[in-house]
Amino acid sequence: MAQIIKFFDDIHTMMQNNGDPRTAKWPLMSSPLPTLAICLTYVYLVKVLGPRIMENKKPMELRNVLIYYNFFQVLFSLWLFCEIGMSGWLTGRYNLRCEPVDYSNHPVTIRMVHACWWYYFSKFTEFFDTIFFVLRKKNEHISTLHVIHHGVMPMSVWFGVKFTPGGHSTFFGLINTFVHIVMYTYYLLAALGPQYQKYLWWKKYLTTFQMVQFVAIMVHAFQLLFIDCNYPRAFVWFIGMHAVMFFFLFNEFYKQAYQKKGRIGVTKATVQKGASPNGKLTNGHVTDSAKSTSHTANGYSNSRAADYYVKASPEDLHLRSTSSIKVTAGASEVK
């Protein structure tokens, strides 16, 4: 027991001696334990407690809530992008090749430090993406990968705000907030209803854009392994490997969502042209089982993308398991 107490005392001492004094007394910055506790509570809530509470309840209709939430996230991400950009990256003050952390109290530097903390805070607001799944009983979308993606980020960003709030690593925040502006705009359009389907043709390209983001972050971080720059090498690996991990996760999602979707679409087209899944003719008509999946209980056509978004937005771009894709008599139904 004495060894355990000593271990935590040593960690606390290390945090105090090496942490940035400018953020030491800011909310949640004195220790990693509050952030860790919040992340663990989030995991328990969305994976265990929430589904248990909602088990015998009807799914909540949250369309208006989703509209306001996504609109807020667009504005919040836009503000963060401007703050991080105007504190260095978009003014010529920061160097893409090497940007050590500025630990001074210069007004522009302090502006960047504040932007780093608010970026950290934004990772908690993104928990609501999953909470809305729970309230709407979309538990099949709360995959392990989805929860890891959201649950890890606050803890990861905490270390940056604690030790390196500024400099090279803030490029991650600049790119990520820009992607979130685009991403939550897509979610907002999706939540507005089926009449906005014609504006949702670019989902596939948004996923590609997300992967390009991680490639840019990888290159930007790992270049410091070959450049003499006064920036902590541990954070180079930390940020770079995060980008590698998320790139492969999103790449796997891309293959599941679009390549498999393409194969399912071919099967569906075959049925609609008069051939059953086993190759037998059906006199030019879709089989009864296919017809039964063409509309939901609420009257929305499953063949229309916008109908799905009204019911399930904004989860489609989040990580999920391949088991959520079902094929019924040649007609695809994504839950």
Side-chain angles (χ1 to χ4, degrees), residues 140-156:
E140 66 273 18
H141 296 291
I142 310 174
S143 67
T144 300
L145 294 180
H146 173 91
V147 175
I148 289 174
H149 175 66
H150 285 281
V152 165
M153 285 305 297
M155 198 71 255
S156 300

Side-chain angles (χ1 to χ4, degrees), residues 200-271:
L200 302 176
W201 55 267
W202 46 284
K203 178 182 68 173
K204 179 177 180 179
Y205 302 101
L206 177 55
T207 306
T208 303
F209 186 37
Q210 289 173 312
M211 290 191 291
V212 170
Q213 163 197 205
F214 297 122
V215 172
I217 293 168
M218 271 186 261
V219 172
H220 184 258
F222 285 143
Q223 68 175 327
L224 294 192
L225 297 177
F226 310 98
I227 297 174
D228 185 15
C229 183
N230 184 24
Y231 189 84
R233 188 64 60 91
F235 279 90
V236 172
W237 283 105
F238 189 67
I239 295 169
M241 292 310 297
H242 264 71
V244 170
M245 177 182 70
F246 287 133
F247 173 81
F248 282 106
L249 292 179
F250 273 80
N251 182 60
E252 184 64 23
F253 166 78
Y254 184 93
K255 291 188 290 186
Q256 293 172 7
Y258 304 117
Q259 294 180 2
K260 284 198 172 189
K261 182 178 179 181
R263 291 195 291 271
I264 292 173
V266 172
T267 305
K268 180 178 178 181
T270 302
V271 173

Side-chain angles (χ1 to χ4, degrees), residues 78-98:
L78 178 61
W79 178 75
L80 285 171
F81 176 79
C82 292
E83 286 298 295
I84 296 172
M86 298 309 296
S87 299
W89 293 109
L90 300 181
T91 63
R93 190 166 182 263
Y94 271 29
N95 190 325
L96 282 171
R97 293 281 288 170
C98 170

Side-chain angles (χ1 to χ4, degrees), residues 111-237:
R111 183 180 181 181
M112 177 64 85
V113 177
H114 279 90
C116 290
W117 188 89
W118 281 109
Y119 177 71
Y120 156 76
F121 177 79
S122 73
K123 298 304 159 187
F124 292 122
T125 68
E126 293 170 17
F127 284 175
F128 284 98
D129 289 4
T130 323
I131 292 171
F132 291 145
F133 288 165
V134 174
L135 296 178
R136 296 162 65 222
K137 299 188 75 170
K138 298 291 183 179
N139 297 333
E140 66 273 18
H141 296 291
I142 310 174
S143 67
T144 300
L145 294 180
H146 173 91
V147 175
I148 289 174
H149 175 66
H150 285 281
V152 165
M153 285 305 297
M155 198 71 255
S156 300
V157 179
W158 183 90
F159 285 99
V161 180
K162 181 66 177 180
F163 298 103
T164 59
H168 205 76
S169 62
T170 56
F171 180 79
F172 186 113
L174 180 77
I175 298 299
N176 189 237
T177 52
F178 181 74
V179 170
H180 278 199
I181 294 169
V182 180
M183 183 180 74
Y184 281 108
T185 298
Y186 180 93
Y187 292 164
L188 176 61
L189 290 173
L192 288 173
Q195 64 271 31
Y196 289 87
Q197 177 195 4
K198 59 185 177 181
Y199 303 115
L200 302 176
W201 55 267
W202 46 284
K203 178 182 68 173
K204 179 177 180 179
Y205 302 101
L206 177 55
T207 306
T208 303
F209 186 37
Q210 289 173 312
M211 290 191 291
V212 170
Q213 163 197 205
F214 297 122
V215 172
I217 293 168
M218 271 186 261
V219 172
H220 184 258
F222 285 143
Q223 68 175 327
L224 294 192
L225 297 177
F226 310 98
I227 297 174
D228 185 15
C229 183
N230 184 24
Y231 189 84
R233 188 64 60 91
F235 279 90
V236 172
W237 283 105

Side-chain angles (χ1 to χ4, degrees), residues 251-313:
N251 182 60
E252 184 64 23
F253 166 78
Y254 184 93
K255 291 188 290 186
Q256 293 172 7
Y258 304 117
Q259 294 180 2
K260 284 198 172 189
K261 182 178 179 181
R263 291 195 291 271
I264 292 173
V266 172
T267 305
K268 180 178 178 181
T270 302
V271 173
Q272 291 177 333
K273 288 181 178 179
S276 64
N278 60 11
K280 296 180 180 179
L281 294 177
T282 58
N283 297 321
H285 298 289
V286 180
T287 60
D288 292 338
S289 59
K291 289 180 180 179
S292 67
T293 62
S294 64
H295 291 79
T296 66
N298 293 299
Y300 290 109
S301 167
N302 282 329
S303 65
R304 294 173 58 194
D307 296 343
Y308 165 66
Y309 295 128
V310 169
K311 294 298 170 188
S313 172

